[in-house]
Amino acid sequence: MSVLALVEQIDGQVDELSLQALSLARELADGEPLTALLAGEGGREASAQLGSHGVANALVAEDERLGAYAPGAWARSVTDAIDRLGTGAVVAPGTVRGNEVLSHVAARLDLPFAANCAAIDERSPLTVTRVRWGGSLLEEARVHGSPALLSVAPHTVPAATVNGADAPSVESFAPALDENDLLVRVAEHVDAATAGISLAEAKVVVSGGRGVGSADGFGMLEELAELLHAAVGCSRVVTSAGWRPHTDQVGQTGTKVSPDLYIACGISGATQHIAGCKGAKKILAINSDAEAPILASADYAVIGDLTEIVPAITAELRKGREP
Amino acid sequence: MCVKRVPLTGGRMVLTADEQAIETRHLGFTISPHEECGVEEAVRIVEAQGGETTVLTLGPPEAEEQIRETLATGADRGILLAVEGEEWDPQATAGAILSTIESEEASGGAFDLIVFGNESADSGNFQVGIRVAHALGRPVVTGLKGLTVDGGRARCEQEVAGGRDVYDVPLPAVVTVLEGINLPRYPSVPAKLRARQKPIDKSSPERPDSRLEKLRLVLPPGQGKQAEILGEGADAAPAVVGVMRDLGVAP
Amino acid sequence: MLIGALALAAVLAVSGFLFVRRTKLLVDLVRIGKPTDRSGDLPERVRNEAEIVLGQRKLLQRLVPGLIHAAIFWGFLVLFPTIVIAMIGAVDREATLPWLGEQGWFALMVDVFAMLVLAGVLGAAYIRKVQRPARFQGSHLGEADLILALIAGIVVTLLLWHASRIALGLNEWPAGWSPVSDTLSGLFGDGGATKVLERVFVWAHVLIILSFLAYLPHSKHLHIATAAVNVFFGRTSAPGRLEPLRFDGPEEDMRFGAGTVADLTWKQTLDTFSCTECGRCQDVCPAWTTGKELSPKLLIMALRDQVFDEGPPLVRNAEGFEATPLVPNAVSDNVVWDCVTCGACVRECPVSIEHVDHIIDLRRHLVMMDSRFPSEAEPMLRDVERASNPWGKAQSERADWAEELGVRVLEPGDPAPEILYWVGCAASFDERARTAARSTAKLLQAAGVDFAILGPRESCTGDPARRMGNEYLFQAHAEQNVGTLNEAGVTKIVASCPHCFNTLGNEYSDFGGNYEVVHHTELLAGLVREGRLETNGGAGTVTYHDSCYLARHNDVLADPRELVEAVGEPVEMKRSGKRTFCCGAGGAHMWMEERGGKINEERAREAAETGADTLAVACPFCTVMLDDGVRQRGDDLRVVDVSTLLAESLDR
C-alpha cells in the first residue's frame, strides 16, 4: 500500500526517531510509494536527507502559521496529504508530537490509531505488534480502518538506509488551515533555568534506586557521573521518597533514556523502571542481590555493596587518567 | 478527571493462559502515576478556586477502589462505568467517556476542565483524551508539566529539550498531564473515611466492536537475558572500567 | 499548749490548703484525659505494686542509685508515724502517739532508718554533685537539690529533737533503744537552752514537713503520690502490643492520636506527673546515645510542661480556648520520628511511664490527621497499602525464595499444616534476610515438621505502618490476614521475624486472630532438645544480639542462646538480654533516614569489641542493619541468622 510518513525535524535536521519510523514505513509500503510529510520551518531542507532512507517523494507543508507547533495544524496537513495521495497508511514516529498529531488525525477521521508499534505482522488485514507497559509487554493487534494510522515505538526498529538512492522529489503545498487548527499552539518558549547534561540526551547515565539509601548517598553517584560526563538519574522510589526531583526520574512515567551505557545502582528493576532505560545500548547493574529482576534486563552486573563498588569504579577511572 | 485502574507489576510479566491479559491474581492495583498527579492537580485547582471535581473511570467493578482513593485525595464524586470481560480499545473507551460527559453536561453544565493522564501505564495508547476533546470541540493540550487556570483561560506548560513550551487556551478545555506536574498528597484518615460516603454513580455501558482489535499479548523476547557478572564488590572495578573503555565512554 | 494547737492548726490549714488546691488541679488534669482501659488483671497489678513500689525492683536495676533511693523510700515508710508523733509533740510537749511512741523497737527502727535516709541523701548528693552522670542532662537539678535538702532537714531535725528530748528526760521510749539519738543527746545539757532547742527542733521538723507537703505537688517530687498510682495502672499486657483505635465512630469524633493536650489519655497525663527526671530512660535510649534530639525523659518533661500550660484552661472550660498542636510546640518532629520503639526506656523507668505509647500516639496524629511525616517513608506506606508489602514488590513473586526447596505453598482449600511458617516481607524480598528463610525451611524439612507457607497470600502484617502511626492501614491488613489465616484453619504459626512474631502473637488477637505463635529460634531450640535436629559445634566464637522485639517486648532470651551454645562458643555483649541495644530498624526506621550518629554502627562496634568471629542475630531487620553497620566500620565480623548457623552445623 502507499504509505505517508510523518517526519519530524529541528532546524533542517531530521530527528533520529523519524528515521527509525521510516524503516517501518518502508516495510509497510513493500515496494509501493513512500511519501514523507514534513511541516514547519526547515522542512524543505530536511527532506534532502531522506533519499537514503527510501523516501521517493517529500511533501512539505508550508504556511507561515506553521512556524510554531500546533498539533491541529499538523493534523490538518496530514489529512490534506491523505486526501491528495489516497494513502493506505500513515506512519509517524512514536514521539510526543508524533503520537499527538496522529491522535488528532484519528479523531478527525474517526479511524483507529495503533500507537507505539514495534513491528508489522501482516499487511492485509493489517496486524501490528505494539508496545505496552513501556516495552515490558507486547500486543498483537489488528487495525480495522483505512487509512491505517500507526506510530513507531522509539528504539524498536533500527533506522536502515538504502544504497544508491536519489534525493526525493519535493513538492510543497499549503494545508487548508482554519482557526480551530491553530487554537492550540505554542505561545512562548521558556528556557530551562539550569544547564547541565540533560538526562534524555546523555551518553552515559548513572542512576540510583532504593539501594542508595538516602539523598546524601547520591553523592558518590554524582562524583562518578561527573567523571563520565554523565547525567544522574533515579528510580521512582527515590523521587517518591523526596531524595531527588522528578526531573531525574527514569522510568515509564519519568524520562525515557537511551544512553550508550546505563548504570543502575541499587535499582531492583521493576518493569516500570526498565521501561525507561531499555533504550540504552548497554545496561550495567550494580546490586547486592544476585536475584534482582534487573539482572534479567542488564548486560553486565556487579554484585555487592554499591557504596564500595561505585567509589572503586571512580577511583579506577581516575587512576587511568593520571599520567 | 478520567482515571484507569492498572495493576502494579513487579520484576517480570506473567500472562494468563489465554494470552489476553496479565495474570493479576496476586498483584496490587493503583491508578497510573500520570493520573494520580492529574487528580491532585484537579483537587488543588478546586481548592484554590472553588468548584467540584468529578472522577470518572471505565473499568471492572473493582475499580471502585481506585475511585475511592481519588475521593480521599479530595475529589467530590465519582462515576464508574463498570465493564467486565474483554478489554475496551481506546476508541471505544473514548466513546463511552464522551457519552457520559455529554449527559453530565446536559444536566450539570459544562466542565471547565477535563483532565486525563497522558497515557495509561498499561496499554499506552495516547489517544483517549484527544478523541474526547475533538468530539466535544474543545482545545486539548497534552503532556503537561505545569498548569495554571485563571480568568477562563489555561496556561499549559510542556517540557521540551532546552526548556518549556507554553500554550494558552480558553476554557472549557481538555488537558492531559504527566507525572511530575505536582507531588500528590498523602490523604489523611478522616479524608479516607469521608471518601467512603461520597457518591459514586454506576452504570454498565455495552462494548462496541473493537477497531483496534487485540489478538493476544506476548512477552518481549530476551526477557530471560542474564547479565554477565563482571565481579563482586569493589574488586570488579577494573573489569567495569574495561567495559567502559570498550564502549568508548571512559574519560 | 493551746497556742501550740492553734499554731499547728494554722500551719496545717495553710499547708493543707495549698496541697489540696494543687492536688485538685492535678486530679482534674488527669480526669479530663481521654479514657483508656486499665482495669482487669488485678492480681498482676497488685504484684507490680508490691514488686516495683514496695520492692523498688526497677530502681534496683541500677544497684547503687537503687539502694540509695530504697533507703530513702523505705526510710520514709518507716518514719511516717513520726510525723504524727512530731505534730502531737509540737502541741503538747509531754504527749506522744499512744503505744507506738513508747516502743523501743520502733525507736530503734526510727534511728536506723533515719540514718539510712541520711546516708541515702549523702549518697545522692555525691552522685549528683561529684559524679554528675549524663542522665541528668536536662533535668531540673536545682529542684532536686532542694528536695534532698528538705529530706535531710527532716531527718536531722527528727534526730536532734529526739536527742534533745532524751537530754531533757522527756523520751517516752527507752533511750538505749535509740543509739543515735542517745549519742547525740550528749550534745545537750538539761538546762533552759535545751528546753528551747527541743521546741525549736520539733517545730522546725513540723514546719519543714508541712512546707514540704505544700511544695510537693508543685514540684517533680509529686511522684511520691503519682508513682504508686501510675505503677498500679501500668500495662499488664505484652509490652509489644499497642492499643488499637476505633475508626467506626461518628464524624465529629474523628480525631486520632495525640494532637494536643486535650487528646492525651488520663494514663498519659499521669505519666507526665510521675516523672522524676531521673534520666535512666535517657541513658539507654539508642537515639539519644547516638546524638539525636530524642530523649524519652525530655519528651515526658515537655509534655508535662504543656499539660500544665494548656490543661488548666481546658479544666475550666475556658471560653474559646483551643489547645495548640503538641508538635511542634511542645515536641519537635525530629523527636517524634527519632524513636525506634525499642522499649529500653520503658524497661528502665521506675515509675512505669510508657514513653513508647506517647510517641506512637503523637505519630498517629501526625500521620493519620496531618499527613506530616518524613517523606522517605511515604513510598513504604503506599506500597504496604497497594502492593501489600513495604518494598512494593509483586506479591506474585513472594514465594520465589522457596522455589528450589520444594516448600509447600498453602492454596485456598488446602488442609492446614501443623504449623504455618510466616516468612515475612523482609525474608521474602530482601536478599540478606532470605538466607534465614531458606535455612529455616531446610531445618524444618530436616526435622520432618509438617509446615507450609502462604506464599503470595501472605501480606504484610502491617507492623511498619502501625509503628509509624498509620493505625488505619495496619488494621486493614490485620483484618485481611486474620481472614486468610482463619479461613485456612491455621492455629499454630512460626515466624522468623520478631516484628511479625510480635504482631501475630500479641496484636492480632484484637482482630479475631488467636494463634499460638512462636519465634523460629523457639521452635528450632525445641526441635534440638527433642533430638529432631542434630547440632555440631565449630562455628567459632559467636556473640548473640538480642532483638528488641524478642527480648524486651516478648521475653524470648534463652532459646536463641541454647542454639548458639550448641554450634559455637558464646560470648555476651555488655548490653544483652533485656538490656539489649537496638539495631536501629524498629519504629519503621528501616524506611526512614537517620540523622546524626548511626545506631547500627554503635551496636556493631559493641559486637566487634567482644572479639567474636560471628555476630548471630534472629531478625531480618537486625541482619540488614548490623551487616550494614559492620561493613561501614570495616569490622571483621560475620553477621548471620541463628538458623543459618544451625543449618551450617547440620552440614558439618
Side-chain angles (χ1 to χ4, degrees):
Chain A
M1 59 180 91
S2 69
V3 175
L4 176 69
L6 185 61
V7 170
E8 281 182 73
Q9 47 81 20
I10 301 180
D11 298 330
Q13 270 300 108
V14 177
D15 181 66
E16 162 85 22
L17 296 178
S18 297
L19 295 176
Q20 292 174 5
L22 278 174
S23 296
L24 196 87
R26 220 170 55 238
E27 196 190 319
L28 186 58
D30 194 28
E32 287 195 49
L34 172 60
T35 310
L37 172 65
L38 299 99
E41 276 172 43
R44 190 174 275 275
E45 197 187 320
S47 61
Q49 299 157 27
L50 300 176
S52 52
H53 292 272
V55 172
N57 315 298
L59 257 185
V60 181
E62 284 178 335
D63 185 309
E64 59 179 21
R65 293 170 296 177
L66 285 171
Y69 172 67
W74 286 43
R76 171 73 68 184
S77 309
V78 173
T79 51
D80 280 0
I82 291 173
D83 286 339
R84 286 171 79 103
L85 303 171
T87 50
V90 181
V91 174
T95 55
V96 169
R97 290 191 175 166
N99 283 327
E100 186 175 35
V101 171
L102 279 198
S103 296
H104 276 274
V105 172
R108 288 171 180 219
L109 300 179
D110 191 29
L111 286 172
F113 163 40
N116 279 15
C117 298
I120 312 282
D121 302 324
E122 268 178 60
R123 280 186 205 87
S124 177
L126 182 58
T127 309
V128 295
T129 294
R130 57 175 300 275
V131 157
R132 289 195 170 203
W133 286 101
S136 301
L137 189 61
L138 301 173
E139 171 193 1
E140 284 174 12
R142 184 157 295 148
V143 183
H144 296 277
S146 185
L149 304 174
L150 316 177
S151 74
V152 181
H155 306 298
T156 49
V157 179
T161 48
V162 187
N163 287 329
D166 300 321
S169 63
V170 180
E171 196 190 322
S172 70
F173 76 108
L177 301 175
D178 69 31
E179 51 176 54
N180 269 335
D181 295 330
L182 298 162
L183 189 55
V184 177
R185 61 195 301 213
V186 177
E188 69 181 271
H189 177 86
V190 176
D191 277 320
T194 47
I197 303 163
S198 125
L199 201 52
E201 288 156 11
K203 286 257 165 281
V204 181
V205 175
V206 181
S207 197
R210 190 194 290 272
V212 175
S214 68
D216 292 336
F218 272 83
M220 63 180 69
L221 273 75
E222 281 170 345
E223 227 184 287
L224 178 60
E226 207 186 303
L227 210 52
L228 293 168
H229 300 296
V232 175
C234 67
S235 70
R236 189 151 178 263
V237 159
V238 168
T239 37
S240 304
W243 296 341
R244 305 288 294 190
H246 190 268
T247 41
D248 285 356
Q249 183 178 314
V250 171
Q252 193 182 341
T253 51
T255 307
K256 301 201 179 68
V257 299
S258 49
D260 292 339
L261 177 63
Y262 184 80
I263 307 178
C265 309
I267 296 178
S268 66
T271 51
Q272 217 262 15
H273 186 79
I274 300 296
C277 64
K278 56 189 241 318
K281 295 216 175 61
K282 294 287 180 192
I283 297 178
L284 163 65
I286 301 178
N287 204 298
S288 52
D289 185 1
E291 292 171 46
I294 193 161
L295 271 87
S297 306
D299 300 281
Y300 308 102
V302 177
I303 306 298
D305 185 350
L306 68 92
T307 57
E308 286 171 12
I309 297 169
V310 173
I313 298 175
T314 308
E316 189 74 23
L317 282 169
R318 285 215 175 95
K319 250 202 292 182
R321 287 171 81 192
E322 268 146 43
Chain B
M1 172 71 222
C2 300
V3 303
K4 184 178 182 186
R5 171 178 162 100
V6 293
L8 284 163
T9 55
R12 54 169 195 271
M13 297 274 174
V14 180
L15 296 177
T16 54
D18 61 6
E19 295 178 314
Q20 294 297 305
I22 297 178
E23 178 61 70
T24 58
R25 201 161 66 114
H26 293 295
L27 297 184
F29 286 85
T30 180
I31 60 179
S32 305
H34 297 315
E35 294 160 9
E36 255 194 270
C37 293
V39 173
E40 176 69 28
E41 197 66 21
V43 168
R44 284 187 192 184
I45 292 173
V46 166
E47 279 173 348
Q49 306 188 24
E52 194 187 71
T53 304
T54 304
V55 176
L56 167 78
T57 192
L58 181 117
E62 294 85 8
E64 180 173 341
E65 182 188 74
Q66 274 61 49
I67 297 192
R68 291 279 172 215
E69 268 183 47
T70 66
L71 296 174
T73 301
D76 301 289
R77 54 182 281 260
I79 301 176
L80 170 60
L81 302 176
V83 300
E84 286 202 89
E86 291 284 323
E87 216 181 307
W88 285 47
D89 80 2
Q91 233 172 330
T93 305
I97 293 176
L98 178 67
S99 322
T100 310
I101 291 178
E102 282 173 337
S103 68
E104 285 283 316
E105 292 192 330
S107 53
F111 288 106
D112 295 289
L113 198 60
I114 301 177
V115 187
F116 291 82
N118 201 56
E119 79 267 16
S120 67
D122 54 359
S123 44
N125 283 297
F126 286 93
Q127 54 194 266
V128 172
I130 292 175
R131 287 186 186 270
V132 171
H134 185 265
L136 291 170
R138 296 188 194 163
V140 55
V141 194
T142 64
L144 300 197
K145 281 288 179 83
L147 175 64
T148 319
V149 173
D150 192 27
R153 297 191 74 83
R155 179 191 156 94
C156 310
E157 295 177 31
Q158 277 180 357
E159 255 173 31
V160 295
R164 290 191 165 199
D165 278 346
V166 181
Y167 299 72
D168 179 48
V169 293
L171 300 182
V174 176
V175 295
T176 79
V177 302
L178 287 175
E179 185 190 28
I181 189 174
N182 57 45
L183 210 54
R185 72 194 63 186
Y186 190 77
S188 70
V189 170
K192 288 192 172 137
L193 293 171
R194 262 177 253 127
R196 297 207 284 219
Q197 314 299 330
K198 291 184 184 174
I200 299 183
D201 294 327
K202 299 181 192 169
S203 64
S204 294
E206 286 275 320
R207 188 178 78 98
D209 287 329
S210 277
R211 296 182 68 193
L212 182 64
E213 184 195 345
K214 177 182 73 180
L215 298 175
R216 65 182 188 130
L217 297 178
V218 180
L219 291 174
Q223 249 212 357
K225 185 163 46 156
Q226 267 306 346
E228 181 192 326
I229 311 268
L230 295 175
E232 283 189 24
D235 297 335
V240 171
V241 174
V243 165
M244 287 178 174
R245 296 223 166 89
D246 291 340
L247 292 174
V249 297
Chain C
M1 194 175 109
L2 184 62
I3 301 178
L6 285 173
L8 181 66
V11 179
L12 262 174
V14 170
S15 162
F17 171 72
L18 291 170
F19 178 82
V20 168
R21 185 180 67 165
R22 177 68 168 184
T23 304
K24 178 171 187 316
L25 174 65
L26 296 172
V27 170
D28 284 339
L29 287 170
V30 171
R31 280 235 237 99
I32 60 168
K34 293 271 171 298
T36 176
D37 187 12
R38 296 299 177 110
S39 61
D41 294 322
L42 195 58
E44 195 179 330
R45 293 187 186 283
V46 172
R47 195 176 54 239
N48 283 341
E49 198 70 9
E51 283 180 16
I52 296 175
V53 176
L54 282 178
Q56 303 274 281
R57 170 166 68 83
K58 291 189 113 185
L59 274 157
L60 291 169
Q61 277 169 187
R62 281 179 192 242
L63 195 57
V64 172
L67 286 172
I68 288 174
H69 183 276
I72 299 176
F73 173 66
W74 289 326
F76 257 82
L77 289 181
V78 168
L79 293 176
F80 189 75
T82 62
I83 297 177
V84 181
I85 294 176
M87 289 194 198
I88 295 176
V91 170
D92 181 355
R93 210 174 68 133
E94 320 276 322
T96 185
L97 204 55
W99 181 74
L100 193 62
E102 297 152 7
Q103 302 306 310
W105 57 265
F106 183 66
L108 175 62
M109 281 180 70
V110 168
D111 256 24
V112 168
F113 277 90
M115 288 310 287
L116 277 174
V117 171
L118 205 54
V121 169
L122 289 173
Y126 177 77
I127 291 180
R128 281 171 178 270
K129 296 303 182 193
V130 178
Q131 277 187 351
R132 296 173 188 265
R135 61 189 168 95
F136 289 129
Q137 231 177 311
S139 306
H140 294 104
L141 297 172
E143 223 177 273
D145 291 345
L146 177 58
I147 290 165
L148 283 173
L150 287 171
I151 295 174
I154 290 174
V155 292
V156 165
T157 50
L158 179 67
L159 288 171
L160 288 174
W161 181 48
H162 281 186
S164 59
R165 280 181 86 75
I166 292 174
L168 293 172
L170 288 169
N171 49 309
E172 297 86 351
W173 68 93
W177 281 85
S178 55
V180 177
S181 310
D182 202 20
T183 314
L184 282 173
S185 69
L187 293 170
F188 305 102
D190 57 358
T194 309
K195 282 205 180 110
V196 171
L197 282 173
E198 189 268 346
R199 289 290 87 192
V200 167
F201 290 144
V202 74
W203 275 99
H205 185 74
V206 168
L207 287 171
I208 295 179
I209 288 174
L210 288 179
S211 53
F212 199 15
L213 180 71
Y215 179 58
L216 208 140
H218 292 81
S219 73
K220 69 181 175 116
H221 209 69
L222 71 89
H223 83 275
I224 69 177
T226 52
V229 182
N230 209 37
V231 170
F232 187 76
F233 287 115
R235 276 166 158 270
T236 50
S237 67
R241 173 187 165 275
L242 292 177
E243 198 70 39
L245 292 177
R246 295 191 62 121
F247 294 102
D248 50 3
E251 165 120 20
E252 317 82 70
D253 289 349
M254 277 197 219
R255 279 188 69 79
F256 306 113
T260 69
V261 293
D263 299 317
L264 296 175
T265 65
W266 61 262
K267 175 63 168 66
Q268 284 168 338
T269 306
L270 189 59
D271 270 351
T272 66
F273 292 165
S274 307
C275 178
T276 62
E277 306 179 11
C278 74
R280 289 164 180 232
C281 54
Q282 184 172 296
D283 241 15
V284 294
C285 175
W288 182 262
T289 309
T290 47
K292 301 188 181 63
E293 231 179 287
L294 167 66
S295 145
K297 177 188 80 182
L298 295 175
L299 167 71
I300 300 295
M301 285 166 62
L303 291 172
R304 178 193 63 198
D305 289 344
Q306 191 79 343
V307 168
F308 280 127
D309 246 353
E310 299 196 345
L314 288 171
V315 167
R316 285 195 312 264
N317 261 316
E319 181 101 21
F321 175 75
E322 276 202 38
T324 61
L326 288 168
V327 180
N329 294 338
V331 175
S332 76
D333 293 81
N334 284 345
V335 164
V336 176
W337 297 110
D338 282 343
C339 178
V340 286
T341 67
C342 73
C345 49
V346 177
R347 191 208 167 235
E348 289 295 317
C349 183
V351 296
S352 299
I353 294 174
E354 291 145 3
H355 318 70
V356 175
D357 288 342
H358 283 257
I359 294 266
I360 295 287
D361 268 349
L362 289 169
R363 288 185 177 187
R364 283 171 170 176
H365 186 92
L366 290 176
V367 172
M368 294 199 288
M369 303 290 297
D370 294 343
S371 296
R372 180 179 167 140
F373 53 88
S375 60
E376 66 267 20
E378 191 169 330
M380 181 272 284
L381 289 174
R382 286 191 195 271
D383 286 337
V384 169
E385 186 170 354
R386 295 177 178 167
S388 297
N389 65 75
W391 278 283
K393 304 249 171 115
Q395 285 286 101
S396 48
E397 292 159 22
R398 200 167 171 115
D400 284 0
W401 66 270
E403 246 172 72
E404 305 155 345
L405 297 174
V407 172
R408 171 156 91 100
V409 177
L410 195 66
E411 300 289 343
D414 282 356
E418 200 185 302
I419 187 163
L420 179 81
Y421 176 24
W422 185 278
V423 184
C425 305
S428 305
F429 294 119
D430 181 284
E431 72 276 7
R432 281 181 281 188
R434 225 181 267 147
T435 31
R438 292 197 168 120
S439 306
T440 305
K442 283 196 206 133
L443 290 167
L444 293 179
Q445 286 170 333
V449 175
D450 169 29
F451 77 100
I453 62 174
L454 278 174
R457 294 195 299 146
E458 178 190 285
S459 91
C460 183
T461 56
D463 164 84
R466 191 173 222 199
R467 265 58 193 173
M468 265 208 74
N470 198 332
E471 181 69 10
Y472 186 71
L473 180 56
F474 165 73
Q475 288 192 12
H477 275 270
E479 281 164 15
Q480 188 189 322
N481 282 321
V482 167
T484 308
L485 289 166
N486 286 351
E487 238 177 77
V490 169
T491 51
K492 198 162 176 221
I493 301 177
V494 58
S496 47
C497 168
H499 290 256
C500 296
F501 163 66
N502 179 62
T503 295
L504 291 167
N506 296 324
E507 301 186 310
Y508 271 21
S509 47
D510 290 319
F511 304 97
N514 296 291
Y515 319 102
E516 191 194 324
V517 184
V518 292
H519 186 248
H520 74 304
T521 53
E522 292 182 291
L523 186 66
L524 292 171
L527 291 172
V528 168
R529 282 194 295 267
E530 288 169 29
R532 288 167 74 177
L533 270 179
E534 59 168 77
T535 60
N536 298 302
T541 48
V542 181
T543 184
Y544 171 68
H545 163 80
D546 290 276
S547 303
C548 303
Y549 275 72
L550 270 185
R552 240 194 311 270
H553 292 309
N554 282 292
D555 282 315
V556 175
L557 301 151
D559 284 325
R561 287 184 159 75
E562 256 178 60
L563 295 172
V564 168
E565 267 167 43
V567 301
E569 299 136 46
V571 48
E572 292 279 3
M573 285 186 268
K574 185 146 165 266
R575 292 177 290 198
S576 67
K578 287 178 101 71
R579 277 228 143 106
T580 189
F581 189 82
C582 189
C583 73
H589 263 269
M590 191 74 179
W591 290 275
M592 290 197 267
E593 271 167 56
E594 199 179 352
R595 290 163 296 265
K598 304 288 177 214
I599 292 174
N600 61 337
E601 287 180 30
E602 168 62 19
R603 185 56 163 174
R605 178 190 65 77
E606 191 174 358
E609 277 174 8
T610 61
D613 303 313
T614 306
L615 172 52
V617 293
C619 165
F621 289 167
C622 296
T623 307
V624 172
M625 297 299 284
L626 293 175
D627 191 51
D628 278 345
V630 162
R631 281 169 200 256
Q632 273 299 97
R633 289 173 39 89
D635 292 318
D636 185 18
L637 197 55
R638 182 186 172 216
V639 179
V640 66
D641 190 274
V642 172
S643 61
T644 304
L645 283 178
L646 209 60
E648 286 172 355
S649 103
L650 215 62
D651 293 334
R652 274 201 282 276

